[in-house]
Amino acid sequence: MTGVQLPLMIWLSPSFPVGGFAYSHGLEWAFEVGDLTEAQGLEDWLGVLVEHGSLRNDLILFAAAWRASGDGDGKGLGEVAELALALANSAERRLETVTQGNAFIAAIAASWPCASVDALKAAWPGDVAYPVAVAVAGSGHGLPLLPSLEAFSLAFVANLVSAAVRLGIVGQTDGQRVTAGLAPLLRSAATRAEAAALDALGSCAFRSDLASLRHETQYSRLFRS
């Protein structure tokens, strides 16, 4: 169990140098216009991202990249990497995923090197989306898919809850309640993504997508997205 959990705990902790603290995934605009003001609204908003929005797609992409990397399918891995960038539906979403993805690959190559990372660079020499980067490292280090998906999804939610605390949407205690309340959804989302093919990609979280687009021109900002 330790062999599975320890790398994931390290890679997805706030101390791993990917700069996740700098992004709110549009929450800052939603707070600015009054969409998010309390814990239940935050939990509902994040729940939509888990079940119908960007995290759903990221988990499916993660699973596809993990499988392609493990199979040595360079062509398939390159296609997943390209698709992950194409699905970033705003300039800030793309910035968010590639800045973290590129930083993750650089940190892994320096401190947790594995052949799969080299294979990714050969298959796709461009920017790397964050879920693809973590999936390739996980596959290369022999980490099983389902726990990796669960850990990635929890890290996504935890980072956005942290952003909500800093914005003043919720306090720290309510933030932890939100995370705990979303745990069952995270487990079920990871289970579904484990078996999903790329044909299952799709999202329906229009207000979140709009928040990302509007944040690009928001006058006063704490976050990069």
Side-chain angles (χ1 to χ4, degrees):
M1 181 169 62
T2 301
V4 172
Q5 291 181 343
L6 191 57
L8 293 170
M9 292 169 65
I10 294 170
W11 301 346
L12 296 171
S13 79
S15 66
F16 204 72
V18 300
F21 62 88
Y23 304 97
S24 80
H25 208 71
L27 289 186
E28 186 169 22
W29 182 83
F31 173 65
E32 176 77 14
V33 299
D35 282 358
L36 293 176
T37 59
E38 40 73 39
Q40 188 58 58
L42 176 65
E43 184 171 337
D44 292 344
W45 182 284
L46 297 181
V48 169
L49 295 181
V50 172
E51 294 195 293
H52 307 293
S54 54
L55 180 60
R56 178 183 185 275
N57 280 344
D58 278 356
L59 294 178
I60 294 172
L61 292 163
F62 188 115
W66 184 92
R67 287 191 291 266
S69 180
D71 292 342
D73 180 6
K75 181 175 183 294
L77 182 57
E79 290 173 352
V80 175
E82 183 176 16
L83 182 58
L85 297 182
L87 289 173
N89 55 8
S90 71
E92 289 191 355
R93 288 275 172 89
R94 184 183 176 97
L95 174 72
E96 183 176 326
T97 195
V98 302
T99 303
Q100 292 183 85
N102 291 341
F104 184 89
I105 288 295
I108 287 290
S111 56
W112 295 75
C114 59
S116 66
V117 171
D118 296 331
L120 172 62
K121 292 177 180 178
W124 181 254
D127 289 329
V128 180
Y130 188 42
V132 173
V134 180
V136 167
S139 179
H141 282 278
L143 305 183
L145 179 55
L146 183 57
S148 299
L149 289 166
E150 290 178 343
F152 185 85
S153 66
L154 177 60
F156 174 89
V157 164
N159 190 62
L160 293 190
V161 168
S162 174
V165 171
R166 282 174 281 158
L167 286 167
I169 298 170
V170 294
Q172 292 184 345
T173 300
D174 275 343
Q176 290 305 308
R177 291 191 182 107
V178 168
T179 303
L182 290 170
L185 290 184
L186 296 177
R187 293 191 186 98
S188 61
T191 299
R192 290 193 299 271
E194 182 186 25
L198 290 175
D199 288 346
L201 285 166
S203 65
C204 183
F206 296 129
R207 194 66 175 172
S208 174
D209 294 341
L210 179 62
S212 179
L213 291 166
R214 292 289 178 83
H215 189 267
E216 293 176 14
T217 57
Q218 188 169 329
Y219 176 70
S220 178
R221 308 194 303 180
L222 293 175
F223 296 92
R224 298 185 72 187
S225 74

